[in-house]
Amino acid sequence: MRGSTRRSLAVLLAVVAFMASALTATAAVGTVSAAARANTARAANPDRPANAAVPKRHVVAYDRYSLKVDGERVMLWTGEFHYFRLPSPDLWRDALEKIRAAGFNGVSLYFHWGYHSPKPGVYDFTGVRDVDRLLRVADELGLYVVARPGPYINAESTGGGFPAWLKNVPGRARSSAPGYTAAYRDWLSHINPIIARHQVTRGGSVIVYNAENEYAANTDAAYMQDIQNKARADGIDVPITHNQCCDASWTPTWASGQGAVQIPGVDDYPQSFNCDTPGIWGTWGPGVTERLRDDAPVYAAEYQAGSVDVNSAGFDKCRELTGPDYMKVFYKSNLIASGATMYGYYMAFGGTNWGWLAQPNDVGTSYDYGAAITEHRQLTTKYDEFKRQGYFVTSVAPLTRTDPSTAPVSDNAAVHTEARANPDTGTQFVLVRHADRSTSTDESATLTWTTPDGTYRVPVRVKGRDAEILVAGYDLGGQRLAWSNSEILTHAHIGGKDVAVLYGGAGTAGATVLRYPSAPKVKVLDGSVRSSYAAGELRLDYTHAGLARVLISDGGRRPLLLMLGTDESAASFWRAGTSAAPVLVRGTSLVRSARATGNAVELRADLAEAGDVEVFGPASSRRLVVDGRAVPARVTPSGSLLGRAAGPRPVRLPDLTGWRTRTEAPEAQPGFDDSRWTVADKTTTESPIKPKNQPVLYADDYGYHYGHVWYRGRFTATGAETSVALNAVTGKHGIYQAWLNGRYLGSAAGGVQADTDDPVNPDPGRGDFPIPAGLLKKGEKATLSVLVGNMGHNDDWVATDIRHKQPRGLTGAAIAGARGLISWRIQGAEGGEDVADRARGPLNNGGLFGERAGWYLPGRTGGPWAAASPAGRRLAPGVSWYRTTFRLDLPKGQDVPVALRFGGAEDARYRVLLFVNGWNLGQYIPGRPQRDFALPAGLLRERGHNTLALAVVAEQSATVGPVSLVAMANHRGGVLVAPVPAPER
Ligand code: GAL
């Protein structure tokens, strides 16, 4: 990301906006009417079960309030997920099921151009890149998809999603320049048809299409328009959106004129990315999504749900910065202030920058993001808050069409109210929060609230950093809710009665008023609830504690089971659709799906431990089956089924022993045969950054785009050489190392950003290496060997080329005292752009000798390795490898996310590339926040033999580790994960 640059660019953008406003043309405006005919509704209902075999076609339309599918309004509540950060297709289902179970009815998906394309014209959509499969899973789960294929996506991913070969394409990226145009059209020609066949209009799940990404700097309206024309030509017929950066002050917003989209959205990151100060709120504003068009819904395209860790505070701090209290205050405030009905929470699950996927200036291997679902696929208290809000917004349909309305009057100035109402039903939604968002005092107030059912005095309380949305005048199933000062979690018609769950802060007073034509029977089944009936109104008073249950019957309406809980007990509920009514479940750590058959309810559920499982299902339910095993169960007075399900078996992971080692870097030796390396003699480059001296040594210019590159420079010595001066640009945290005639000269930090004339750092990545006396002899050939790490490519957030076309590798080389030219050769990943290991793809490998020789692969050791464990063994500077194997035998039907943990000194000067069964699962750098590296099942064989290979690049003599396997969790349940096919040798 851009961190601090985000705000400082506002001025620049104002100028750009002014220029853009001079360009006017007609926009593609209007309602999309899909080619397809309306069919069975498949829309607002959050309980849509898996799609039937025959795809149904639907009409997608919208108005100023919301999207509509077959005329039915949709609250689009999505979480962002990056398939490229979870390289195990079976685990896509795990992540998407968890996203759905949190109450999301959709998922926002970036598609990463560079992940699929190693070379111009070459695309791969197989294996871990099989996005058709990803969209099939979304279809099966009934999740709507916001498809975001860029071409530029940012996402803190290498090149912001651009393939690195684009650095060699003439013409500014993100513009109408012909070279770039041909390139991005080719990408869209590949990805659009895949997206198109999964549109809702063709029976799939893609409901909108996002053109470009935060395109606000140096914009080119013809380009923006062309992306959309291309999408239409490729069969995209759902509405097109865009995600405007930051807020609507950034222009153009693409709401009108050439390049305008139908549903312009806005990104909002109100908390900033300062994870080191999680207590400071709203650094980047109040986070209220602006309306950009009168004829389209308000769309919170990316709303902050985690953070980049720009200050290296660790992702747990980011989770705190964007924790449940922030979510309550900002998400609920935004819902009421903006009336948005389309949301994308960034991120729901962040994942892993495996291989060289990271954009190195903002992130390392982990893209955990402090998200609701951790990198190790675990659910957090943020997940609970998503559930509370997601179940609410997808259950209470009147929220899909609201206008601002008169808010109840608070008798305490410290308590702020704000309201919206549905013009058709009159249902009111009232936000209650501190007037000053940053305070956390305990405030009580009485609201004078004029609802559709009368005027009431309603007690409320805001305790700590908190916000509530209260509802009045709502036809809750067959009931009439006059008002409640408890919030609604969800409700459904289950087993012949309405079942509703309301909740409030533990210890606070709750009151709910329901209307009945005649006095109903009220039976308190659990907890302490007082009731009174007068003048058609049943009033219930209680304190939010545990989970109270009240059965209300007769009174002229169908029965209601009302459950009144706390934040915690509300979050213990799971709601899952079946082919008939939904079920509600308590007691499990997750419910993935449910089926009601005859008198049985079958759950696919996860359990962290043995415990009670309670199911509110069809009245006929007598049998409970959890993960295929019958659970003895009885019917409770609430009409639910209660049984006790088993937990997981304990697991123990093996110690890592039997290590073998091998030292490499023959490239550093003068006699090494480099005759098959690429001659580096170019004199020009497409990069706007020009080299300090000739020739151009940029790795990308020779087709070596990812990981390490080696250089060998030959020259005839004068004997008077005194020092070597190098510059290398690597991206943040990168290093490079130099050898002269086999003698190690040392290492230096690589540059981050070589601007053409950057006053702050005019000489990026500079390293000066004195030449030891006597090393070079007059008239003799000498060899300078340089190993440069490439940490990944910069983004192109400002669309200038100055960032993403930054060089990688050497940008300058001079030897003081030398005469004559150095002749250079370069070597990178095996095959260059013709990637040798196609299954693992272009981002898996660089050009270390051991990588080129296949030492990272399970079946290719290439010669003798010596027995030696990393512990207690000092490595010389340079490159060494360790390998070992281990067997796992994790119990079937359990989900045990495994990580590789590095211990050891923080100040050690080495880094490790870790390969599991040939997959590059990241880079450990001592002193950086990350010590645990996710080893996703599918790449890791949970029941089988595994090979671990560590490539250690040491700047100084160092001891690696200790290294161990850790179980990050243990659940009964999970999804079936097949090994991801990839060559062993
Ligand atoms: C947004 C951008 C995303 C990501 C995010 C920060 O502005 O669109 O791709 O970079 O910021 O994580």
Side-chain angles (χ1 to χ4, degrees):
M1 253 284 333
R2 57 250 152 227
S4 56
T5 55
R6 172 170 223 144
R7 296 285 150 193
S8 59
L9 275 167
V11 178
L12 162 71
L13 294 185
V15 177
V16 173
F18 172 75
M19 288 157 60
S21 65
L23 301 164
T24 35
T26 2
V29 182
T31 304
V32 166
S33 93
R37 293 269 65 82
N39 218 315
T40 318
R42 172 207 190 271
N45 176 6
D47 305 306
R48 280 172 300 130
N51 279 351
V54 182
K56 300 210 169 91
R57 294 168 174 259
H58 305 278
V59 174
V60 179
Y62 64 88
D63 62 12
R64 71 175 263 111
Y65 293 105
S66 73
L67 285 165
K68 295 181 202 175
V69 175
D70 298 337
E72 205 176 322
R73 291 194 180 278
V74 175
M75 169 67 74
L76 185 66
W77 186 259
T78 78
E80 180 90 18
F81 170 69
H82 297 159
Y83 64 90
F84 42 89
R85 289 181 158 130
L86 187 56
S88 178
D90 283 322
L91 289 180
W92 294 343
R93 179 180 291 276
D94 179 63
L96 294 184
E97 283 182 346
K98 284 172 176 160
I99 287 171
R100 180 177 70 166
F104 289 108
N105 61 3
V107 60
S108 293
L109 301 174
Y110 274 142
F111 295 87
H112 192 291
W113 181 2
Y115 193 69
H116 297 274
S117 181
K119 183 180 177 178
V122 178
Y123 287 87
D124 185 336
F125 295 97
T126 63
V128 299
R129 296 173 182 76
D130 185 352
V131 290
D132 187 81
R133 175 171 174 185
L134 171 73
L135 291 170
R136 284 201 309 272
V137 177
D139 288 354
E140 281 166 31
L141 298 183
L143 282 169
Y144 287 123
V145 169
V146 175
R148 313 207 303 153
Y152 182 73
I153 61 169
N154 207 59
E156 292 78 55
S157 61
T158 182
F162 283 155
W165 56 255
L166 192 66
K167 295 166 91 168
N168 300 332
V169 171
R172 179 167 70 89
R174 307 178 78 188
S175 81
S176 304
Y180 174 68
T181 302
Y184 82 75
R185 283 192 176 174
D186 197 28
W187 157 240
L188 294 179
S189 293
H190 284 87
I191 192 69
N192 280 346
I194 301 176
I195 295 172
R197 61 178 176 259
H198 288 281
Q199 292 173 105
V200 171
T201 51
R202 299 193 194 170
S205 50
V206 174
I207 191 164
V208 289
Y209 177 99
N210 192 138
E212 249 285 347
N213 189 82
E214 295 192 333
Y215 190 42
N218 299 305
T219 51
D220 174 339
Y223 160 59
M224 189 63 183
Q225 188 59 54
D226 188 60
I227 296 172
Q228 298 175 64
N229 296 348
K230 174 84 180 115
R232 294 297 184 221
D234 289 338
I236 301 294
D237 57 15
V238 293
I240 296 184
T241 68
H242 172 72
N243 58 318
Q244 177 64 18
C245 173
C246 315
D247 58 46
S249 70
W250 295 62
T251 52
T253 58
W254 307 111
S256 61
Q258 189 187 20
V261 297
Q262 292 169 303
I263 308 182
V266 178
D267 292 353
D268 230 311
Y269 289 78
Q271 285 293 67
S272 82
F273 302 136
N274 301 329
C275 301
D276 53 339
T277 51
I280 300 178
W281 276 35
T283 310
W284 286 347
V288 176
T289 310
E290 293 97 339
R291 167 173 288 286
L292 297 180
R293 275 182 82 138
D294 278 339
D295 60 353
V298 177
Y299 176 24
E302 279 178 31
Y303 203 95
Q304 182 166 18
S307 178
V308 184
D309 184 17
V310 289
N311 301 317
S312 304
F315 281 118
D316 285 340
K317 288 276 183 207
C318 300
R319 214 173 330 272
E320 202 181 321
L321 177 73
T322 58
D325 49 358
Y326 151 78
M327 297 168 71
K328 284 181 186 173
V329 175
F330 280 78
Y331 298 179
K332 291 179 186 177
S333 297
N334 186 34
L335 189 86
I336 299 303
S338 72
T341 56
M342 296 170 66
Y343 295 84
Y345 287 99
Y346 192 103
M347 302 285 307
F349 166 82
T352 305
N353 289 311
W354 69 279
W356 296 103
L357 193 52
Q359 184 271 80
N361 303 332
D362 291 321
V363 286
T365 300
S366 176
Y367 198 72
D368 175 276
Y369 212 77
I373 305 172
T374 69
E375 184 183 7
H376 304 283
R377 301 181 288 104
Q378 300 307 298
L379 314 185
T380 64
T381 55
K382 288 183 60 174
Y383 185 93
D384 290 346
E385 183 56 29
F386 266 128
K387 242 165 107 178
R388 286 185 287 260
Q389 295 193 31
Y391 284 19
F392 167 62
V393 300
T394 55
S395 304
V396 179
L399 266 174
T400 53
R401 181 168 188 238
T402 60
D403 294 314
S405 68
T406 311
V409 178
S410 158
D411 65 357
N412 177 352
V415 174
H416 171 79
T417 59
E418 207 170 323
R420 302 188 77 82
N422 181 300
D424 306 324
T425 64
T427 308
Q428 295 179 5
F429 300 94
V430 172
L431 172 76
V432 180
R433 65 161 167 84
H434 282 104
D436 173 356
R437 230 189 288 254
S438 62
T439 49
S440 53
T441 49
D442 185 351
E443 301 286 345
S444 294
T446 301
L447 309 183
T448 305
W449 187 352
T450 301
T451 76
D453 298 281
T455 299
Y456 300 90
R457 290 176 58 74
V458 175
V460 293
R461 185 159 161 201
V462 207
K463 203 175 151 192
R465 281 178 160 169
D466 193 12
E468 291 150 21
I469 295 177
L470 308 183
V471 181
Y474 177 45
D475 290 325
L476 183 155
Q479 319 296 319
R480 176 68 180 177
L481 176 71
W483 61 268
S484 177
N485 67 3
S486 301
E487 297 189 83
I488 298 175
L489 175 76
T490 190
H491 65 87
H493 187 210
I494 297 174
K497 53 182 180 285
D498 286 316
V499 178
V501 183
L502 273 52
Y503 69 98
T508 62
T512 296
V513 172
L514 296 150
R515 295 184 66 85
Y516 292 94
S518 57
K521 262 201 234 151
V522 178
K523 191 167 170 196
V524 178
L525 301 172
D526 224 334
S528 158
V529 178
R530 295 178 308 284
S531 68
S532 57
Y533 178 80
E537 289 187 357
L538 173 72
R539 179 175 170 129
L540 304 172
D541 284 282
Y542 45 89
T543 299
H544 296 110
L547 186 70
R549 303 174 187 224
V550 186
L551 188 60
I552 303 165
S553 53
D554 300 336
R557 295 182 185 274
R558 68 187 183 211
L560 166 68
L561 174 66
L562 184 63
M563 292 185 270
L564 302 160
T566 60
D567 279 15
E568 290 69 32
S569 55
S572 71
F573 279 91
W574 298 95
R575 177 178 174 134
T578 71
S579 54
V583 297
L584 295 181
V585 179
R586 295 184 71 215
T588 57
S589 327
L590 173 71
V591 172
R592 295 173 183 276
S593 64
R595 227 155 65 101
T597 49
N599 66 353
V601 176
E602 295 172 25
L603 302 178
R604 283 178 55 243
D606 287 15
L607 285 102
E609 55 192 15
D612 286 348
V613 177
E614 182 175 17
V615 179
F616 302 83
S620 57
S621 309
R622 292 293 174 274
R623 291 194 305 119
L624 178 58
V625 179
V626 179
D627 289 330
R629 274 189 266 174
V631 170
R634 62 182 168 83
V635 178
T636 73
S638 308
S640 60
L641 267 184
L642 183 67
R644 198 174 164 77
R649 285 163 41 203
V651 292
R652 199 182 123 61
L653 299 180
D655 293 334
L656 295 173
T657 56
W659 290 97
R660 304 181 79 76
T661 189
R662 192 158 174 195
T663 304
E664 52 134 288
E667 300 92 334
Q669 299 310 317
F672 179 80
D673 176 10
D674 60 16
S675 57
R676 297 176 67 182
W677 287 23
T678 308
V679 174
D681 58 358
K682 294 194 178 184
T683 53
T684 58
T685 177
E686 289 302 331
S687 173
I689 315 297
K690 301 305 169 197
K692 270 175 87 170
N693 40 37
Q694 287 288 347
V696 176
L697 295 175
Y698 305 171
D700 294 295
D701 293 47
Y702 299 95
Y704 298 120
H705 299 304
Y706 302 102
H708 291 84
V709 281
W710 274 101
Y711 295 89
R712 284 168 58 88
R714 284 225 179 65
F715 59 97
T716 306
T718 61
E721 290 87 351
T722 52
S723 67
V724 177
L726 299 174
N727 290 80
V729 179
T730 56
K732 208 164 171 181
H733 306 299
I735 55 148
Y736 64 99
Q737 294 167 283
W739 289 258
L740 186 60
N741 280 353
R743 178 89 62 95
Y744 184 54
L745 297 182
S747 68
V752 174
Q753 176 88 5
D755 276 5
T756 27
D757 65 293
D758 178 352
V760 180
N761 191 1
D763 203 15
R766 169 77 179 244
D768 288 286
F769 305 95
I771 297 177
L775 183 62
L776 299 184
K777 305 256 169 354
K778 184 172 179 188
E780 286 186 5
K781 287 275 180 210
T783 307
L784 176 63
S785 301
V786 187
L787 175 63
V788 186
N790 168 0
M791 301 290 288
H793 300 278
N794 294 1
D795 61 44
D796 188 31
W797 194 60
V798 283
T800 57
D801 271 4
I802 204 91
R803 284 153 76 143
H804 91 98
K805 281 187 177 166
Q806 283 286 316
R808 289 295 183 257
L810 288 178
T811 58
I815 300 174
R819 245 181 281 126
L821 288 178
I822 311 177
S823 62
W824 289 97
R825 283 181 186 258
I826 181 172
Q827 182 66 292
E830 175 83 11
E833 289 180 353
D834 296 305
V835 176
D837 186 343
R838 289 172 57 188
R840 297 181 182 88
L843 299 167
N844 198 61
N845 292 106
L848 292 179
F849 184 88
E851 287 181 284
R852 295 178 53 83
W855 297 355
Y856 67 101
L857 292 166
R860 245 168 90 185
T861 50
W865 289 59
S869 142
R873 180 164 177 272
R874 285 193 83 74
L875 294 174
V879 187
S880 314
W881 287 68
Y882 288 108
R883 275 173 70 107
T884 189
T885 57
F886 59 91
R887 215 198 128 72
L888 289 181
D889 204 3
L890 299 176
K892 278 198 182 138
Q894 280 182 216
D895 186 359
V896 181
V898 176
L900 190 70
R901 176 169 292 171
F902 286 84
E906 296 260 312
D907 58 356
R909 298 269 297 276
Y910 69 88
R911 47 206 51 216
V912 180
L913 297 183
L914 53 120
F915 294 91
V916 172
N917 299 325
W919 295 84
N920 175 349
L921 293 180
Q923 184 176 201
Y924 168 64
I925 305 179
R928 305 280 308 130
Q930 186 177 7
R931 284 185 176 275
D932 292 341
F933 290 78
L935 313 181
L939 306 187
L940 188 72
R941 291 185 198 107
E942 298 178 281
R943 282 165 289 284
H945 201 69
N946 292 280
T947 301
L948 172 64
L950 306 179
V952 185
V953 177
E955 290 176 80
Q956 292 174 348
S957 170
T959 300
V960 172
V963 189
S964 55
L965 296 170
V966 213
M968 303 304 284
N970 181 10
H971 284 95
R972 193 183 136 199
V975 295
L976 264 181
V977 182
V980 176
E984 297 272 304
R985 39 188 318 117

